[in-house]
Amino acid sequence: MRTSPALRRKLISVAATSAALLTAASTASAVAAQETVSQGSAVPAAQTEAAPGTPAERLIVGYKSGTAEARSNPAAEADAAAKGEKTGEDVDFQRRLGTGAALVDLGDDLTKADVADVVAQYRADPQVAYVVPDRLNKPKADPNDTEYTKQWDLFESTAGMNVPGAWATSTGTGVTVAVIDTGYVAHTDLAANIVGGYDFIADTAVSVDGDGRDSNPADPGDYYAANECGSGVPASNSSWHGTHVAGTIAAVTNNNKGVAGIAYGAKISPVRVLGKCGGYDSDIIDAITWASGGTVSGVPANSNVAKVINMSLGGDGACTSATQSAITAAVNRGTTVVVAAGNESDNVANHSPGNCNNVISVAATNRTGAKASYSNYGSLVDISAPGGQTSTGTANGILSTLNSGTKTPSSESYAYYQGTSMATPHIAGLVALVKSANSALTPAQIETAIKNNARALPGACSGGCGAGLADAARTVQAVSGSGGSTGGTTFTNTTAVPIPDNGSAIESSIAVSGRSGNAPTALKVGVDITHTYRGDLVIDLLAPDGTAYRLKAASSSDSADNVSTTYSVNASAETADGTWKLRVQDTAAQDTGKLNSWQLTF
């Protein structure tokens, strides 16, 4: 006797969202009778899969009208047993569908080739009108939030982060994200996902709320008058910045209201460090420590320890030892720290904490997928995410939760903002999705998965935008074992090659072996070039068959030094094994350089 299908069937869980199921494809046309059975290899892959890459465990068989199998369950059962005997598989009739078709079970240990053999037997039977896999359907992830259609940053194919494709696998459940920012102003599109936080602002001149540190992280407003934050600094209304950031990460979703959060199953712990005119390193350091489960003198233990910290904040200068110490300790406790690269259109090396170690430093892209004009850049940037650009139209910003008060809290609202502050919560939300999908991953493994599954920027980036534009669906699929790349193998050439000034192209080779099949859709090409005017350089990746992939074009307006970045290339049409080459040419006079090293990560 076979065990009950309910006991041996793999459990397939999907996110509970209110959307219609994808409809099954129309059934196949009747198969002409054949004297001999087709080989399994002749059966199209789609006829053997319950979902892409997943062998079918059941088949739906339609018998021709008038046949015994179409009328009689015992006859259909006998036919299934006969097909199983011919193929060496255990094929069971399960039940009759409402259309009259038979559902037959194949078990859960078959390969696609095994399934193809069974399908071929049915297709060769003149009594069978059609045989199709019992395909797995999942709910469409588009939420019913009223403003969702304005969240281009989540779903648009050009420059969105491909978030809906991740929701069927993970929504962030079980993960707390600490938003170290201005605190939280009450909003009904966020309230259900808010858990306890803390107000770490010790200086009452900054806190505005009339007291120092306490357990109430409510945002009273951070407005200031002209010159109050420095000579010549103009007045500013309250930003409600932390609430905007929090909404991007975990706004309540499928509530027929407002916006959707990237990790809407996660919880937000508001940790207040920014008030009037900003916030001090000392408060931020304590906030990082406490949020990640560390001990801070005079502050109660954190009952909502965060596995993700979002810091959409920054200042000028190097990462201090004090700040780095707090970040390193948080990461060692298992918390991933995500920080903004900054909005100075400058190298992130000059701005903290975007230049700290052990963080995911995030640059911002606009709606075309190019680096936003304000975003910082550089070799210390790890990844890019949508940050918006309202100068090209308000709707090209990032829409999230806010408050209408200009000084103190008033009515809740929604607004478009732009900045690396807006890009950072996209990655923090993605980290929450990843951590929820695979809780065993370390911060380093999470960062690697995000980088390895990014896609090439659709638009231009001068100076370094990290591994590319983050792709939520591909990353979550990778860590949950259903696709993508969780790490990969790196091949490196460290032999330095001079680049002739305004001369012939130079080439450097890497021999790749032991990689079966084709290269990935997001092949990572790391390049380290010193050059006194990088705008002169044209850089191409050459596949083993000679196909050229342009990594960088020449630009007369790019006068900065050096190229130290990682490009992402869709090389899925190329065989992985073979000799790959990097070709570099200096196309203008008066500047010199050298290719120091380069690498390929599969």
Side-chain angles (χ1 to χ4, degrees), residues 68-128:
E69 293 86 355
R71 302 188 307 270
S72 164
N73 287 354
E77 184 173 5
D79 188 45
K83 298 292 193 293
E85 184 175 353
K86 290 180 180 180
T87 58
E89 307 297 344
D90 196 2
V91 183
D92 272 358
F93 170 80
Q94 292 294 298
R95 69 175 186 271
R96 186 76 60 178
L97 304 187
T99 59
L103 180 66
V104 297
D105 185 82
L106 307 178
D108 55 7
D109 297 322
L110 276 66
T111 65
K112 285 191 283 186
D114 295 334
V115 177
D117 287 341
V118 178
V119 171
Q121 284 289 335
Y122 276 108
R123 291 176 66 180
D125 188 339
Q127 308 300 320
V128 174

Side-chain angles (χ1 to χ4, degrees), residues 480-572:
S480 60
S482 57
S485 170
T486 55
T489 303
T490 299
F491 300 84
T492 304
N493 186 328
T494 58
T495 302
V497 183
I499 303 170
D501 183 29
N502 195 24
S504 301
I506 59 101
E507 292 183 353
S508 177
S509 301
I510 290 178
V512 175
S513 61
R515 304 293 300 179
S516 60
N518 285 6
T521 56
L523 176 64
K524 303 305 177 187
V525 187
V527 178
D528 181 11
I529 295 173
T530 51
H531 196 274
T532 51
Y533 194 101
R534 67 178 177 225
D536 291 353
L537 299 178
V538 175
I539 307 174
D540 294 297
L541 174 68
L542 304 181
D545 66 357
T547 302
Y549 294 86
R550 177 60 48 89
L551 304 180
K552 179 190 176 300
S555 172
S556 60
S557 61
D558 185 5
S559 61
D561 296 342
N562 309 330
V563 178
S564 181
T565 191
T566 300
Y567 300 96
S568 183
V569 176
N570 183 353
S572 58

Side-chain angles (χ1 to χ4, degrees), residues 308-340:
V308 190
I309 285 175
N310 185 104
M311 290 199 293
S312 292
L313 49 80
D316 295 338
C319 180
T320 66
S321 298
T323 298
Q324 185 64 66
S325 177
I327 290 171
T328 299
V331 172
N332 288 341
R333 284 188 283 269
T335 299
T336 301
V337 181
V338 187
V339 302

Side-chain angles (χ1 to χ4, degrees), residues 170-181 195 245 249-250 262-263 266-271 287-293 302 304-312 327 330-331 333-339 358-360 362 423-439 441-443 446-447 450:
S170 176
T171 62
T173 303
V175 178
T176 296
V177 182
V179 175
I180 297 180
D181 212 293
V195 296
V245 167
I249 297 169
I262 290 171
K267 300 300 182 183
I268 297 291
S269 174
V271 184
I288 294 169
T289 302
W290 181 85
S292 60
N302 184 4
N304 297 295
V305 174
K307 289 302 178 184
V308 190
I309 285 175
N310 185 104
M311 290 199 293
S312 292
I327 290 171
V331 172
R333 284 188 283 269
T335 299
T336 301
V337 181
V338 187
V339 302
N358 297 324
V359 300
I360 300 178
V362 186
T424 303
H426 283 76
I427 300 302
L430 175 52
V431 172
L433 295 178
V434 169
K435 188 68 175 177
S436 179
N438 189 338
S439 61
L441 293 178
T442 66
I446 291 172
E447 179 178 346
I450 291 172

Side-chain angles (χ1 to χ4, degrees), residues 19-81:
L21 287 176
L22 297 169
T23 57
S26 58
T27 56
S29 301
V31 180
Q34 301 176 16
E35 291 298 323
T36 59
V37 176
S38 302
Q39 295 298 311
S41 59
V43 176
Q47 293 278 325
T48 68
E49 296 178 332
T54 304
E57 296 179 0
R58 299 183 294 193
L59 299 175
I60 300 171
V61 181
Y63 291 97
K64 292 180 180 178
S65 178
T67 62
E69 293 86 355
R71 302 188 307 270
S72 164
N73 287 354
E77 184 173 5
D79 188 45

